């Protein structure tokens, strides 16, 4: 799996820990870090979403203070689904139910050890389009296409 990762300054510490974890994980073939010293959360979020849309990455992880700003910005890219998740239920739901390509987390919300445990689960999750959520995602896609 190819992962794009990024964070503005207020998410850099957690992003660095998660990046190191991903780089040592056999399930991950490539990690692309879009972060720079002066990048804003909208810029890094839009770049990450566009990289996935362009086929340069399979999934993304964005970190800011709360995970909310990055999700809002990434969701502005047509066809992208970004979800803020900080526990097992929302991590699983973000992929299994909603087929979110981007996981957003908040450095001020979750401890690194908990984030790492959730990333470990997240890497194995898959969406089943035949699930009860499939038609709902089609409904969202149809609205977006208008």
């Amino acid at each position: 799996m190819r992962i794009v990762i990024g964070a503005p300054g207020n998410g850099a510490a957690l992003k660095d820990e998660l990046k190191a974890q991903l780089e040592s994980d056999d399930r991950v073939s490539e990690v692309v870090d879009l972060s720079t010293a002066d990048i804003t959360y909208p810029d890094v979020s839009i770049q990450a979403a566009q990289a996935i849309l362009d086929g340069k990455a399979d999934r993304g992880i964005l970190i800011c203070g709360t995970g909310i700003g990055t999700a809002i910005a990434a969701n502005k890219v047509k066809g992208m689904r970004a979800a803020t998740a900080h526990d097992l239920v929302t991590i699983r739901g973000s992929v299994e139910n909603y087929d979110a390509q981007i996981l957003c987390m908040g450095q001020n919300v979750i401890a690194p050890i908990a984030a790492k445990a959730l990333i470990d689960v997240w890497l194995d999750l898959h969406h089943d389009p035949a699930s009860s959520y499939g038609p709902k995602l089609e409904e969202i896609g149809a609205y977006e296409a208008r």
Side-chain angles (χ1 to χ4, degrees), residues 19-126:
K19 179 181 172 186
Q21 174 186 1
L22 293 167
E23 289 174 335
S24 68
D25 193 305
D26 291 339
R27 296 169 290 182
V28 178
S29 59
E30 181 181 16
V31 179
V32 176
D33 187 350
L34 300 175
S35 307
T36 62
D38 60 346
I39 202 158
T40 63
Y41 78 83
D43 188 15
V44 74
S45 302
I46 292 166
Q47 282 187 44
Q50 194 63 52
I52 295 166
L53 194 63
D54 293 344
K56 296 176 182 173
D58 302 302
R59 288 191 190 168
I61 298 173
L62 295 168
I63 310 295
C64 65
T66 63
I68 297 169
T70 54
I72 290 170
N75 279 315
K76 297 300 180 188
V77 176
K78 190 174 184 177
M80 287 293 103
R81 289 175 303 280
T84 302
H86 293 108
D87 58 60
L88 187 56
V89 172
T90 54
I91 287 285
R92 291 179 63 96
S94 71
V95 177
E96 292 178 341
N97 298 339
Y98 306 110
D99 197 20
Q101 305 101 322
I102 301 174
L103 171 63
C104 301
M105 293 180 136
Q107 179 172 287
N108 300 336
V109 177
I110 190 166
I113 193 165
K116 289 177 184 180
L118 292 172
I119 293 297
D120 186 53
V121 170
W122 179 79
L123 287 169
D124 285 330
L125 297 174
H126 300 282

